[in-house]
Amino acid sequence: MSDYTTHHRSNARNRGLALGLALCLISTQGHAEKAETAQASVPLSRPAVLQFVSIQQGQLTFSVKSTGCTRRDDFRLLWDGPDLTVVRLKPDLCRKKAHWTTFSLPLTDPSLREWETLYINNPLVVKSGK
């Protein structure tokens, strides 16, 4: 076998390996991009920790802890039948001293009329007298 033939076969093998590696990288990159896109489109949401809850005149009023950047638009009401959860969409990353802030959201879900009793699924903080 000549040096030319050996060199040609070696280059062909290397090109085949490089092509295979490139195809693997491209296929895994597509999956990673899809996973990142799916995660990016899902907002951060978790049940808000509440201290106070009240329902009056078609409004849900609640108190949440804030460090200065919590806004009414940071919350949504999620319904599952008579189960209601106040969800915090955006964390409060400010650095002021933590304090309880009160917000109200309208109870506009049409299925609300079907229920005599609502169940609030949020964790509650019981404020002690101390």
Side-chain angles (χ1 to χ4, degrees):
M1 199 182 308
S2 71
D3 286 337
Y4 174 77
T5 305
T6 303
H7 177 72
H8 184 61
R9 285 183 180 172
S10 176
N11 280 346
R13 189 177 317 125
N14 289 342
R15 280 190 298 248
L17 289 173
L19 179 61
L21 181 60
L23 289 174
C24 285
L25 288 173
I26 289 170
S27 68
T28 57
Q29 183 181 18
H31 292 295
E33 287 173 0
K34 287 178 186 174
E36 288 174 12
T37 302
Q39 288 178 349
S41 66
V42 176
L44 169 70
S45 59
R46 60 185 182 152
V49 177
L50 308 178
Q51 181 191 38
F52 167 82
V53 180
S54 174
I55 297 175
Q56 292 180 12
Q57 300 173 350
Q59 298 267 335
L60 178 80
T61 303
F62 56 95
S63 292
V64 294
K65 198 166 269 190
S66 172
T67 54
C69 294
T70 301
R71 305 285 178 254
R72 180 180 180 267
D73 293 341
D74 295 341
F75 300 96
R76 292 288 180 271
L77 300 178
L78 293 183
W79 295 91
D80 184 14
D83 295 335
L84 172 66
T85 305
V86 179
V87 175
R88 182 184 282 267
L89 301 174
K90 182 177 151 188
D92 185 338
L93 301 176
C94 287
R95 297 183 179 187
K96 290 183 179 178
K97 182 179 178 183
H99 61 281
W100 292 98
T101 305
T102 302
F103 296 99
S104 292
L105 294 174
L107 296 172
T108 57
D109 191 298
S111 66
L112 180 62
R113 295 183 193 112
E114 299 173 17
W115 311 107
E116 290 182 17
T117 303
L118 291 178
Y119 300 93
I120 307 295
N121 291 324
N122 292 75
L124 296 173
V125 172
V126 179
K127 185 177 180 180
S128 66
K130 298 179 184 178

